[in-house]
Amino acid sequence: MRKIHYKKTRKVNPGLLEYTGLHHKVVPDLQLFVYNAELLTEITHVVPEKLDAILHQPTQKWLNLHGLTDVELVKVIGEKVGMDTFLLTDVMNTTRRPKLEEYHDALFFSIKSILPHENSECMEVEQISFFLKDGLLVSFQEKKSDFFTHIRERLRTHAGLVRDKKTDYLLYLLLDAVMENFYITIETEENHVEELINLAKTNGSPRVLELVELHRDHFHLLKRSILPLRDSLYSLKTLGEEHPHIGVDRQTFCFFDRLHQKSLELLDQIDYDMQTLEGVGNFYFSTQSHKMNEVMKTLTVVSVFFMPLTFVVGIYGMNFDNMPELHWVNGYYIVMFGMGLLLALMFWYFKRKRWF
């Protein structure tokens, strides 16, 4: 996720719509499902001018937009479904925090979808927004993706309860599909953490620390995306009790309660994985410290070996005239033998003490 940079000279117009995401090359495409228990009508490449007649039909409708680069198209959709400009601003500004907002007789929901990148260790972040009104669900996606494909197939084949219930149940299914992406991402990150644990045991390269920090950032991003979702799902319970007119049946609130429990489960798993990742960093530093201690131990033992030899050499390097050993015929050999014997005794003693 990109950081938000604020500038003092920037003039912010609350009514200005501007797409702030990264998917500027996506061609907008509008898709519509009109359904009930008996029939299903799927319309691709919907023309906005024909929405008025369809949206007033007494059926359930799911309008999905891929691509947010066409500001005028987003404005037209907002006018057709009754979305105010400030809600459209939240749709277009993908750097904002996920949120839940109750607006008159409608419900606005924004969420971050996070998936691991296929060819790198980066993560793909996409904001998805939902607008729920009585009998109508509008979803805004930054790009085309396949994690709603199974829901579309359930609509087409009349599998499950989706066509027997209202669009609030469809919203639950879509949110559940997005949350499944979190499970996939966390599982991928856990695999990377296991690889880091093995790498830290065999490799002392600073690259290990770089990877630890990278995946720590990934877990922080996941946590920052799930925490607002958890709060929103919890707030939905209160909204259901105080505002029964927001388009969510009381029988459906139990499904959103399941999503709330899932968010708690995800956060617990992320906390556990972050502790594991912190353990990898601590293990790396402990390994480096142990290696340094071994090096210092080796150098200390070597220096201790040479200390008595230096002492002997220092004595016989003094310039005194009256040093009888200097006149011995075998003095050199005797001193060298004594030095060798001293080294052997020291080696035996250190080995017995297991100092190396």
Side-chain angles (χ1 to χ4, degrees):
M1 182 183 296
R2 294 181 301 165
K3 294 183 179 179
I4 305 174
H5 299 283
Y6 295 97
K7 297 181 180 179
K8 293 182 179 179
T9 57
R10 183 181 179 185
K11 303 298 182 182
V12 180
N13 185 354
L16 178 64
L17 295 182
E18 180 184 359
Y19 175 57
T20 61
L22 301 176
H23 307 284
H24 292 278
K25 296 182 180 180
V26 177
V27 178
D29 184 27
L30 200 56
Q31 182 185 37
L32 177 64
F33 284 90
V34 181
Y35 65 93
N36 56 28
E38 290 76 25
L39 60 88
L40 169 71
T41 302
E42 179 180 354
I43 307 174
T44 58
H45 311 299
V46 179
V47 179
E49 289 75 14
K50 297 182 179 180
L51 284 176
D52 290 327
I54 300 175
L55 294 180
H56 289 89
Q57 295 180 9
T59 53
Q60 306 303 309
K61 297 163 284 290
W62 174 26
L63 181 63
N64 184 65
L65 174 63
H66 293 109
L68 303 178
T69 55
D70 191 341
V71 177
E72 293 302 322
L73 177 60
V74 175
K75 285 184 179 179
V76 171
I77 294 175
E79 293 173 358
K80 300 291 185 183
V81 302
M83 292 181 66
D84 278 352
T85 304
F86 76 93
L87 291 180
L88 296 177
T89 303
D90 291 335
V91 171
M92 302 290 283
N93 190 349
T94 60
T95 61
R96 290 186 176 176
R97 190 175 187 263
K99 63 186 293 188
L100 167 70
E101 191 163 343
E102 186 265 337
Y103 180 72
H104 298 317
D105 59 343
L107 195 67
F108 177 78
F109 221 121
S110 67
I111 185 175
K112 303 291 183 184
S113 171
I114 302 178
L115 280 172
H117 197 278
E118 294 181 358
N119 301 320
S120 68
E121 294 183 345
C122 299
M123 302 176 72
E124 296 182 354
V125 183
E126 177 190 358
Q127 176 172 292
I128 304 176
S129 303
F130 302 98
F131 180 74
L132 177 66
K133 208 171 181 178
D134 188 24
L136 172 65
L137 176 63
V138 186
S139 55
F140 300 88
Q141 296 181 248
E142 293 187 68
K143 60 185 180 67
K144 288 189 176 182
S145 53
D146 58 356
F147 45 85
F148 291 158
T149 302
H150 66 287
I151 299 177
R152 294 186 178 94
E153 289 301 320
R154 290 173 68 175
L155 282 169
R156 295 179 183 122
T157 59
H158 201 343
L161 302 174
V162 59
R163 282 175 55 179
D164 297 322
K165 290 185 173 291
K166 295 182 179 180
T167 49
D168 53 353
Y169 182 76
L170 176 62
L171 174 61
Y172 154 72
L173 293 178
L174 298 178
L175 290 175
D176 185 61
V178 175
M179 293 187 70
E180 287 299 320
N181 293 343
F182 289 122
Y183 283 100
I184 296 173
T185 305
I186 290 176
E187 182 179 359
T188 303
E189 288 298 309
E190 288 176 343
N191 293 335
H192 288 312
V193 171
E194 291 181 3
E195 293 174 0
L196 276 176
I197 293 175
N198 297 328
L199 185 62
K201 293 178 181 179
T202 58
N203 193 342
S205 171
R207 175 63 178 167
V208 175
L209 282 183
E210 294 178 7
L211 293 174
V212 168
E213 291 300 319
L214 173 65
H215 294 294
R216 183 180 284 118
D217 291 341
H218 289 175
F219 281 121
H220 279 302
L221 174 60
L222 286 166
K223 195 169 185 178
R224 286 168 53 194
S225 301
I226 297 174
L227 278 173
L229 176 61
R230 178 203 63 183
D231 298 338
S232 298
L233 291 170
Y234 182 78
S235 300
L236 191 59
K237 301 179 183 179
T238 307
L239 286 176
E241 297 172 357
E242 298 179 355
H243 305 278
H245 58 279
I246 61 174
V248 180
D249 288 343
R250 291 189 177 274
Q251 295 84 359
T252 312
F253 279 107
C254 62
F255 297 106
F256 290 101
D257 185 62
R258 294 179 186 178
L259 295 182
H260 180 253
Q261 295 300 321
K262 275 190 174 184
S263 65
L264 296 177
E265 178 184 338
L266 288 168
L267 290 172
D268 289 341
Q269 189 62 36
I270 289 174
D271 289 336
Y272 173 79
D273 292 333
M274 291 183 70
Q275 292 179 0
T276 304
L277 194 60
E278 184 178 357
V280 175
N282 293 336
F283 179 81
Y284 173 83
F285 284 115
S286 299
T287 303
Q288 294 298 105
S289 178
H290 177 72
K291 289 181 179 179
M292 181 62 67
N293 289 337
E294 289 296 319
V295 171
M296 296 303 297
K297 180 180 177 181
T298 302
L299 294 176
T300 302
V301 170
V302 172
S303 63
V304 169
F305 277 138
F306 282 93
M307 285 177 62
L309 304 184
T310 305
F311 176 73
V312 174
V313 172
I315 290 178
Y316 287 100
M318 295 186 295
N319 296 322
F320 291 110
D321 292 333
N322 189 14
M323 292 185 68
E325 298 91 335
L326 295 178
H327 303 289
W328 291 357
V329 176
N330 297 318
Y332 171 78
Y333 301 104
I334 295 174
V335 172
M336 293 299 294
F337 175 78
M339 294 170 65
L341 180 61
L342 183 59
L343 284 176
L345 291 173
M346 292 176 63
F347 182 85
W348 170 80
Y349 181 78
F350 290 164
K351 200 69 174 178
R352 183 179 179 182
K353 292 292 185 179
R354 297 183 179 179
W355 287 355
F356 64 90

